[in-house]
């Protein structure tokens, strides 16, 4: 179990202790070294959130998954993400995770994910919307994202939709929050990848 937060590690330990022997690591870098040195780890549960300040050259969650997959190709990996969102699950699975569980999931889902990862089977938190789900953005948000994806700007989107620039900016800010995007370009990439826009 890799997580900087002791309370989270305790919760995961309690969820899995009946079936698994648990080893804990506060940082992803330490976990990669541990697995490289010790080996014989069947399943790693990797926290995808940002590591706490002060860790040396921290590995981001999906980077850590790739490093773990390279270090121990046969090991099952459960990505433990912040939210039950398709783009987070897809990115973790593409990086090499076998399973994805959101932090909002019940303990029994973590156990199911760990068992699936052990068997090298794919498991995705049932709360994650199905691929291509268009319920993530409102109709207006999709319209704005489509115009941005087509090369338009905030000004163009406002003119095309008969809205003020401030209203378009507000919608765009809400889209960034909903998709967990860093900026508009990232939001457009996520929306395209998730088939939220064409």
């Amino acid at each position: 179990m890799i997580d900087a937060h002791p309370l989270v590690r305790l919760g995961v330990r309690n969820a899995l202790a009946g079936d698994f022997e648990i080893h804990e690591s506060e940082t992803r870098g330490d976990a990669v070294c541990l697995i490289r040195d010790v080996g014989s780890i069947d399943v790693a549960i990797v926290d995808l959130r940002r590591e706490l300040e002060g860790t040396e050259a921290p590995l981001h969650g999906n980077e850590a998954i790739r490093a773990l997959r390279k270090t121990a190709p046969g090991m099952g990996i459960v990505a433990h993400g912040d939210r039950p969102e398709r783009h987070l699950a897809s990115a973790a699975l593409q990086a090499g995770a076998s399973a994805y569980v959101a932090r909002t999931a019940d303990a029994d889902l973590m156990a199911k994910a760990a068992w699936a990862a052990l068997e090298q089977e794919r498991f995705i938190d049932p709360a994650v919307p199905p691929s291509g789900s268009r319920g993530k953005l409102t109709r207006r948000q999709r319209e704005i994202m489509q115009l941005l994806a087509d090369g338009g700007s905030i000004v163009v989107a406002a003119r095309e939709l008969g809205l003020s620039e401030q209203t378009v900016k507000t919608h765009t800010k809400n889209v960034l929050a909903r998709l967990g995007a860093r900026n508009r370009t990232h939001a457009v990439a996520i929306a395209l990848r998730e088939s939220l826009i064409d």
Side-chain angles (χ1 to χ4, degrees):
M1 170 65 205
I2 308 163
D3 197 299
H5 301 87
L7 194 56
V8 174
R9 293 197 309 270
L10 177 64
V12 172
R13 175 181 284 279
N14 287 341
L16 301 178
D19 297 320
F20 293 91
E21 180 182 337
I22 311 292
H23 300 276
E24 298 178 13
S25 178
E26 288 185 31
T27 70
R28 298 177 193 116
D30 288 348
V32 171
C33 291
L34 175 71
I35 289 166
R36 185 181 301 124
D37 295 343
V38 173
S40 71
I41 302 285
D42 296 320
V43 177
I45 298 168
V46 182
D47 174 31
L48 296 181
R49 294 181 309 159
R50 284 170 122 28
E51 288 194 321
L52 297 177
E53 295 297 321
T55 57
E56 277 188 38
L59 284 173
H60 296 292
N62 290 330
E63 292 172 4
I65 290 170
R66 281 189 279 277
L68 290 169
R69 177 64 59 220
K70 186 175 180 182
T71 301
M75 182 176 60
I77 299 174
V78 178
H80 196 204
D82 243 356
R83 299 174 304 280
E85 295 188 7
R86 171 60 54 183
H87 70 280
L88 298 175
S90 296
L93 294 173
Q94 287 171 3
S98 310
Y100 177 88
V101 177
R103 295 174 85 79
T104 54
D106 291 335
D108 65 321
L109 284 179
M110 176 58 80
K112 285 180 183 177
W115 278 109
L118 181 66
E119 298 297 325
Q120 294 296 320
E121 295 174 1
R122 179 177 273 200
F123 179 89
I124 299 175
D125 189 326
V128 171
S131 185
S133 169
R134 292 186 176 258
K136 188 180 288 188
L137 300 178
T138 67
R139 180 184 57 82
R140 181 63 81 193
Q141 290 169 340
R142 286 195 309 269
E143 289 171 343
I144 291 168
M145 285 293 101
Q146 188 65 61
L147 287 167
L148 294 175
D150 293 340
S153 63
I154 296 291
V155 174
V156 169
R159 187 175 61 239
E160 288 276 328
L161 299 172
L163 301 171
S164 72
E165 288 181 35
Q166 188 56 49
T167 298
V168 172
K169 286 179 182 175
T170 299
H171 278 300
T172 304
K173 182 179 175 185
N174 291 337
V175 167
L176 266 61
R178 277 192 182 198
L179 299 181
R182 296 182 299 273
N183 52 42
R184 283 186 296 215
T185 304
H186 190 212
V188 167
I190 292 168
L192 286 167
R193 186 170 62 231
E194 296 300 313
S195 301
L196 300 174
I197 58 176
D198 301 319

